[in-house]
Amino acid sequence: MTEKDEDLIKKRAYALWESEGRPEGRHDEHWSKAYQEFANTENTSVLGAPEDDAASVEEPAKADKGKPPLSVVDGGAAGTPGAKRKRKTV
């Protein structure tokens, strides 16, 4: 973190403190909140603004009705109720 970043956090923490009526004993809370706000803006600037377009989200894959569930294909117990696994003896 640069000195400029720390100065921005300090100013924001001070503004939060003033906006809450200058309460005593909450320095850490204001600093933490200011730091979190700073970190969130840094992540947004690096990653770009989040997209609010719900249409850009891909639809989940749909199951193929012609194929059995994977657990049945792999021989899992989910496909055969009451099935027990065999124990290996050494």
PDB file of all heavy atoms in Angstrom, residues 1-10 31 35 38 42:
ATOM      1  N   MET A   1       0.850  -1.163   0.000  1.00  0.00           N
ATOM      2  CA  MET A   1       0.000   0.000   0.000  1.00  0.00           C
ATOM      3  C   MET A   1       0.900   1.232   0.000  1.00  0.00           C
ATOM      4  O   MET A   1       1.848   1.313   0.763  1.00  0.00           O
ATOM      5  CB  MET A   1      -0.906  -0.021   1.234  1.00  0.00           C
ATOM      6  CG  MET A   1      -1.821   1.152   1.298  1.00  0.00           C
ATOM      7  SD  MET A   1      -2.887   1.256   2.757  1.00  0.00           S
ATOM      8  CE  MET A   1      -3.427  -0.379   2.995  1.00  0.00           C
ATOM      9  N   THR A   2       0.561   2.176  -0.838  1.00  0.00           N
ATOM     10  CA  THR A   2       1.374   3.379  -0.927  1.00  0.00           C
ATOM     11  C   THR A   2       0.963   4.391   0.134  1.00  0.00           C
ATOM     12  O   THR A   2      -0.084   4.260   0.779  1.00  0.00           O
ATOM     13  CB  THR A   2       1.223   4.032  -2.317  1.00  0.00           C
ATOM     14  OG1 THR A   2      -0.116   4.514  -2.456  1.00  0.00           O
ATOM     15  CG2 THR A   2       1.540   3.048  -3.436  1.00  0.00           C
ATOM     16  N   GLU A   3       1.809   5.385   0.294  1.00  0.00           N
ATOM     17  CA  GLU A   3       1.516   6.444   1.257  1.00  0.00           C
ATOM     18  C   GLU A   3       0.255   7.207   0.845  1.00  0.00           C
ATOM     19  O   GLU A   3      -0.549   7.620   1.695  1.00  0.00           O
ATOM     20  CB  GLU A   3       2.713   7.398   1.332  1.00  0.00           C
ATOM     21  CG  GLU A   3       2.671   8.330   2.514  1.00  0.00           C
ATOM     22  CD  GLU A   3       3.956   9.133   2.638  1.00  0.00           C
ATOM     23  OE1 GLU A   3       5.049   8.554   2.493  1.00  0.00           O
ATOM     24  OE2 GLU A   3       3.849  10.343   2.889  1.00  0.00           O
ATOM     25  N   LYS A   4       0.060   7.345  -0.457  1.00  0.00           N
ATOM     26  CA  LYS A   4      -1.136   8.023  -0.974  1.00  0.00           C
ATOM     27  C   LYS A   4      -2.395   7.229  -0.616  1.00  0.00           C
ATOM     28  O   LYS A   4      -3.405   7.811  -0.203  1.00  0.00           O
ATOM     29  CB  LYS A   4      -1.021   8.175  -2.491  1.00  0.00           C
ATOM     30  CG  LYS A   4      -2.188   8.872  -3.124  1.00  0.00           C
ATOM     31  CD  LYS A   4      -2.020   8.975  -4.622  1.00  0.00           C
ATOM     32  CE  LYS A   4      -3.249   9.585  -5.262  1.00  0.00           C
ATOM     33  NZ  LYS A   4      -3.180   9.592  -6.716  1.00  0.00           N
ATOM     34  N   ASP A   5      -2.323   5.902  -0.751  1.00  0.00           N
ATOM     35  CA  ASP A   5      -3.464   5.053  -0.399  1.00  0.00           C
ATOM     36  C   ASP A   5      -3.796   5.181   1.084  1.00  0.00           C
ATOM     37  O   ASP A   5      -4.951   5.298   1.473  1.00  0.00           O
ATOM     38  CB  ASP A   5      -3.166   3.586  -0.725  1.00  0.00           C
ATOM     39  CG  ASP A   5      -2.999   3.330  -2.210  1.00  0.00           C
ATOM     40  OD1 ASP A   5      -3.447   4.156  -3.024  1.00  0.00           O
ATOM     41  OD2 ASP A   5      -2.401   2.290  -2.549  1.00  0.00           O
ATOM     42  N   GLU A   6      -2.757   5.147   1.905  1.00  0.00           N
ATOM     43  CA  GLU A   6      -2.957   5.248   3.348  1.00  0.00           C
ATOM     44  C   GLU A   6      -3.575   6.598   3.717  1.00  0.00           C
ATOM     45  O   GLU A   6      -4.434   6.682   4.608  1.00  0.00           O
ATOM     46  CB  GLU A   6      -1.628   5.049   4.079  1.00  0.00           C
ATOM     47  CG  GLU A   6      -1.824   4.751   5.535  1.00  0.00           C
ATOM     48  CD  GLU A   6      -0.556   4.233   6.178  1.00  0.00           C
ATOM     49  OE1 GLU A   6       0.207   3.515   5.522  1.00  0.00           O
ATOM     50  OE2 GLU A   6      -0.352   4.563   7.357  1.00  0.00           O
ATOM     51  N   ASP A   7      -3.171   7.648   3.023  1.00  0.00           N
ATOM     52  CA  ASP A   7      -3.731   8.975   3.274  1.00  0.00           C
ATOM     53  C   ASP A   7      -5.215   9.012   2.908  1.00  0.00           C
ATOM     54  O   ASP A   7      -6.021   9.606   3.625  1.00  0.00           O
ATOM     55  CB  ASP A   7      -2.946  10.032   2.490  1.00  0.00           C
ATOM     56  CG  ASP A   7      -3.305  11.439   2.906  1.00  0.00           C
ATOM     57  OD1 ASP A   7      -3.360  11.714   4.127  1.00  0.00           O
ATOM     58  OD2 ASP A   7      -3.546  12.275   1.996  1.00  0.00           O
ATOM     59  N   LEU A   8      -5.582   8.355   1.809  1.00  0.00           N
ATOM     60  CA  LEU A   8      -6.992   8.301   1.407  1.00  0.00           C
ATOM     61  C   LEU A   8      -7.819   7.552   2.456  1.00  0.00           C
ATOM     62  O   LEU A   8      -8.929   7.976   2.797  1.00  0.00           O
ATOM     63  CB  LEU A   8      -7.134   7.603   0.045  1.00  0.00           C
ATOM     64  CG  LEU A   8      -6.630   8.363  -1.172  1.00  0.00           C
ATOM     65  CD1 LEU A   8      -6.646   7.462  -2.411  1.00  0.00           C
ATOM     66  CD2 LEU A   8      -7.482   9.600  -1.411  1.00  0.00           C
ATOM     67  N   ILE A   9      -7.287   6.470   2.969  1.00  0.00           N
ATOM     68  CA  ILE A   9      -7.992   5.694   3.998  1.00  0.00           C
ATOM     69  C   ILE A   9      -8.148   6.524   5.268  1.00  0.00           C
ATOM     70  O   ILE A   9      -9.212   6.551   5.883  1.00  0.00           O
ATOM     71  CB  ILE A   9      -7.239   4.376   4.291  1.00  0.00           C
ATOM     72  CG1 ILE A   9      -7.276   3.479   3.057  1.00  0.00           C
ATOM     73  CG2 ILE A   9      -7.839   3.663   5.491  1.00  0.00           C
ATOM     74  CD1 ILE A   9      -6.348   2.295   3.119  1.00  0.00           C
ATOM     75  N   LYS A  10      -7.081   7.245   5.641  1.00  0.00           N
ATOM     76  CA  LYS A  10      -7.121   8.085   6.837  1.00  0.00           C
ATOM     77  C   LYS A  10      -8.202   9.161   6.711  1.00  0.00           C
ATOM     78  O   LYS A  10      -8.989   9.385   7.638  1.00  0.00           O
ATOM     79  CB  LYS A  10      -5.764   8.752   7.051  1.00  0.00           C
ATOM     80  CG  LYS A  10      -5.684   9.577   8.320  1.00  0.00           C
ATOM     81  CD  LYS A  10      -4.442  10.427   8.395  1.00  0.00           C
ATOM     82  CE  LYS A  10      -3.173   9.639   8.430  1.00  0.00           C
ATOM     83  NZ  LYS A  10      -1.971  10.477   8.639  1.00  0.00           N
ATOM     84  N   TRP A  31     -11.406   2.988  10.907  1.00  0.00           N
ATOM     85  CA  TRP A  31     -10.258   2.688  10.038  1.00  0.00           C
ATOM     86  C   TRP A  31     -10.539   1.421   9.215  1.00  0.00           C
ATOM     87  O   TRP A  31     -10.302   1.372   8.018  1.00  0.00           O
ATOM     88  CB  TRP A  31      -8.985   2.509  10.864  1.00  0.00           C
ATOM     89  CG  TRP A  31      -7.787   2.263  10.009  1.00  0.00           C
ATOM     90  CD1 TRP A  31      -7.301   1.062   9.624  1.00  0.00           C
ATOM     91  CD2 TRP A  31      -6.960   3.240   9.386  1.00  0.00           C
ATOM     92  NE1 TRP A  31      -6.201   1.234   8.812  1.00  0.00           N
ATOM     93  CE2 TRP A  31      -5.982   2.559   8.653  1.00  0.00           C
ATOM     94  CE3 TRP A  31      -6.961   4.638   9.401  1.00  0.00           C
ATOM     95  CZ2 TRP A  31      -4.995   3.224   7.930  1.00  0.00           C
ATOM     96  CZ3 TRP A  31      -5.969   5.287   8.684  1.00  0.00           C
ATOM     97  CH2 TRP A  31      -5.012   4.586   7.960  1.00  0.00           C
ATOM     98  N   TYR A  35     -10.799   1.197   5.251  1.00  0.00           N
ATOM     99  CA  TYR A  35      -9.885   0.309   4.535  1.00  0.00           C
ATOM    100  C   TYR A  35     -10.660  -0.646   3.634  1.00  0.00           C
ATOM    101  O   TYR A  35     -10.292  -0.883   2.487  1.00  0.00           O
ATOM    102  CB  TYR A  35      -9.025  -0.487   5.522  1.00  0.00           C
ATOM    103  CG  TYR A  35      -8.083  -1.434   4.820  1.00  0.00           C
ATOM    104  CD1 TYR A  35      -6.873  -0.989   4.316  1.00  0.00           C
ATOM    105  CD2 TYR A  35      -8.419  -2.768   4.637  1.00  0.00           C
ATOM    106  CE1 TYR A  35      -6.011  -1.844   3.656  1.00  0.00           C
ATOM    107  CE2 TYR A  35      -7.567  -3.639   3.980  1.00  0.00           C
ATOM    108  CZ  TYR A  35      -6.371  -3.168   3.490  1.00  0.00           C
ATOM    109  OH  TYR A  35      -5.527  -4.023   2.825  1.00  0.00           O
ATOM    110  N   PHE A  38     -11.904   1.120   0.620  1.00  0.00           N
ATOM    111  CA  PHE A  38     -10.778   1.339  -0.287  1.00  0.00           C
ATOM    112  C   PHE A  38     -10.452   0.056  -1.046  1.00  0.00           C
ATOM    113  O   PHE A  38     -10.263   0.063  -2.258  1.00  0.00           O
ATOM    114  CB  PHE A  38      -9.560   1.819   0.501  1.00  0.00           C
ATOM    115  CG  PHE A  38      -8.320   1.934  -0.341  1.00  0.00           C
ATOM    116  CD1 PHE A  38      -8.144   3.012  -1.186  1.00  0.00           C
ATOM    117  CD2 PHE A  38      -7.341   0.955  -0.301  1.00  0.00           C
ATOM    118  CE1 PHE A  38      -7.008   3.114  -1.974  1.00  0.00           C
ATOM    119  CE2 PHE A  38      -6.203   1.049  -1.074  1.00  0.00           C
ATOM    120  CZ  PHE A  38      -6.037   2.131  -1.920  1.00  0.00           C
ATOM    121  N   GLU A  42     -10.551  -0.644  -5.066  1.00  0.00           N
ATOM    122  CA  GLU A  42      -9.350  -1.116  -5.766  1.00  0.00           C
ATOM    123  C   GLU A  42      -9.660  -2.368  -6.574  1.00  0.00           C
ATOM    124  O   GLU A  42      -9.242  -2.502  -7.704  1.00  0.00           O
ATOM    125  CB  GLU A  42      -8.216  -1.398  -4.776  1.00  0.00           C
ATOM    126  CG  GLU A  42      -7.553  -0.151  -4.265  1.00  0.00           C
ATOM    127  CD  GLU A  42      -6.846   0.627  -5.363  1.00  0.00           C
ATOM    128  OE1 GLU A  42      -5.928   0.093  -5.985  1.00  0.00           O
ATOM    129  OE2 GLU A  42      -7.233   1.785  -5.595  1.00  0.00           O
TER     130      GLU A  42
END
